[in-house]
């Protein structure tokens, strides 16, 4: 049934797919990237799905729509096409004893919406312990950070362009196999678990088994808006894959490490670090 078998399949034109692929490759996983030839601009409207616009397979459509069923629709003006710049610091537990971080359903819902309205978001079809590094946000939340490397952003060049070029270079350096001019046709399920994906290519359908899940990047939604962010010329920033514990959504961000151990007030998220042989959870809960 399967044409090939890998650990992770990363699909989409957004930078979230590239970042997820780099993180998985650094964790020692077998990765395959699937990217369309053109960068689609997904219009916003009552009939436009949050995820996987253009996918018509009923089971895949139901799965993706269920992940965003409780989100509030947003206009194009509420999307931000610029990468988020954050300041983060090391996480210091309240006590030296082990503890369980509180679960905030509303916060995870807000985070999912932030990722889905960003050109830098990514969805993981499975979710368990990713071997993440705990860091602190400006609001005092415990967040998870996967640092992918350092980049110097010159404001004149534009942080989005610099980030895109940097991630593309990281993919090439790691020699991650990339299938261009191809799109996700559908996900393959077995007893509610995502086993792999069927890819539309110029040579016909390609079936890829994904032992540890599929990462699907968000796509640009219309023109959006660009938030002006002051960047110090030549100052190195960390490229991070950002997320919350228990969330299957992540986002690529530019991160600045706080020198005094405290994060600035504008920090609200961190990044996700993938561990070797990570195992993702598949079907979303319903009802």
């Amino acid at each position: 049934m399967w044409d090939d078998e890998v650990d992770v399949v990363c699909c989409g034109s957004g930078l979230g797919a590239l970042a997820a692929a780099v993180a998985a490759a650094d964790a020692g996983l077998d990765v395959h990237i699937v990217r369309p030839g053109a960068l689609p601009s997904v219009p916003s409207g009552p009939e436009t799905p949050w995820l996987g616009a253009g996918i018509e397979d009923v089971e895949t459509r139901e799965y993706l729509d269920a992940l965003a069923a409780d989100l509030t629709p947003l206009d194009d003006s509420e999307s931000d096409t610029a990468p988020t710049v954050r300041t983060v610091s090391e996480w210091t537990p309240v006590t030296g004893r082990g503890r369980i971080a509180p679960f905030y359903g509303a916060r995870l819902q807000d985070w999912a919406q932030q990722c889905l309205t960003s050109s830098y978001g990514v969805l993981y079809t499975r979710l368990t312990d990713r071997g993440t590094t705990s860091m602190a946000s400006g609001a005092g939340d415990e967040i998870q950070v996967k640092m992918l490397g350092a980049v110097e952003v010159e404001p004149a060049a534009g942080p989005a362009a610099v980030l895109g070029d940097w991630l593309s270079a990281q993919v090439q350096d790691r020699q991650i196999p990339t299938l261009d001019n191809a799109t996700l046709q559908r996900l393959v399920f077995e007893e509610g678990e995502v086993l792999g994906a069927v890819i539309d290519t110029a040579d016909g359908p390609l079936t890829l088994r994904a032992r540890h899940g599929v990462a699907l990047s968000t796509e640009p939604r219309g023109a959006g808006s660009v938030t002006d962010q002051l960047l110090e010329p030549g100052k190195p920033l960390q490229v991070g894959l950002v997320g919350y514990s228990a969330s299957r959504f992540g986002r690529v961000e530019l991160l600045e490490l706080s020198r005094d151990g405290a994060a600035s007030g504008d920090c609200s998220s961190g990044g996700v670090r993938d561990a070797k042989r990570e195992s993702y959870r598949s079907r979303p809960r319903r009802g």
Side-chain angles (χ1 to χ4, degrees):
M1 174 183 177
W2 303 105
D3 295 317
D4 200 357
E5 184 172 343
V6 296
D7 290 322
V8 182
V9 178
C10 299
C11 302
S13 62
L15 296 186
L18 297 185
V22 170
D26 287 349
L29 299 176
D30 246 347
V31 191
H32 204 114
I33 298 175
V34 176
R35 289 178 68 79
L39 298 179
S41 181
V42 181
S44 289
E47 303 301 324
T48 303
W50 281 105
L51 287 161
I55 297 178
E56 298 179 354
D57 175 70
V58 174
E59 193 172 14
T60 304
R61 186 75 274 145
E62 179 184 343
Y63 172 81
L64 296 177
D65 290 345
L67 292 170
D70 298 328
L71 302 185
T72 303
L74 293 179
D75 296 328
D76 283 347
S77 59
E78 296 179 89
S79 300
D80 197 342
T81 59
T84 299
V85 181
R86 308 278 188 182
T87 302
V88 296
S89 61
E90 293 184 3
W91 172 259
T92 303
V94 177
T95 68
R97 299 179 180 179
R99 64 182 182 81
I100 299 176
F103 178 83
Y104 300 107
R107 182 182 67 183
L108 296 188
Q109 182 175 335
D110 291 342
W111 173 245
Q113 188 142 338
Q114 291 177 44
C115 294
L116 286 169
T117 54
S118 168
S119 301
Y120 308 91
V122 61
L123 160 74
Y124 305 97
T125 61
R126 295 186 186 178
L127 178 66
T128 58
D129 181 11
R130 293 182 168 285
T132 56
T133 297
S134 295
M135 302 196 79
S137 72
D141 297 331
E142 182 178 0
I143 56 180
Q144 305 300 315
V145 178
K146 167 59 179 178
M147 298 296 188
L148 303 179
V151 61
E152 291 187 5
V153 177
E154 295 293 341
V162 172
L163 182 56
D165 291 343
W166 187 87
L167 282 170
S168 296
Q170 302 308 305
V171 169
Q172 293 181 357
D173 289 346
R174 290 161 178 78
Q175 299 182 337
I176 301 175
T178 302
L179 184 60
D180 294 317
N181 301 314
T183 57
L184 175 66
Q185 180 189 103
R186 63 184 178 89
L187 298 172
V188 180
F189 300 90
E190 182 176 287
E191 296 182 355
E193 296 290 319
V194 174
L195 295 186
V198 178
I199 309 300
D200 275 329
T201 74
D203 298 324
L206 174 69
T207 57
L208 295 175
R209 177 174 172 80
R211 290 183 289 263
H212 301 291
V214 177
L216 180 63
S217 70
T218 59
E219 307 293 352
R221 305 183 69 87
S225 63
V226 177
T227 302
D228 292 329
Q229 294 168 305
L230 298 178
L231 300 177
E232 184 178 332
K235 184 174 185 177
L237 297 172
Q238 294 289 326
V239 179
L241 194 52
V242 173
Y244 280 97
S245 177
S247 174
R248 64 176 72 235
F249 288 95
R251 185 171 65 181
V252 186
E253 299 187 358
L254 295 172
L255 305 175
E256 180 182 0
L257 297 179
S258 176
R259 296 179 180 177
D260 59 1
S264 66
D266 66 346
C267 176
S268 62
S269 60
V272 176
R273 182 164 83 181
D274 295 309
K276 292 186 178 181
R277 299 297 163 188
E278 56 196 356
S279 176
Y280 308 83
R281 192 175 57 206
S282 216
R283 296 291 281 188
R285 294 182 183 180
R286 303 180 185 277

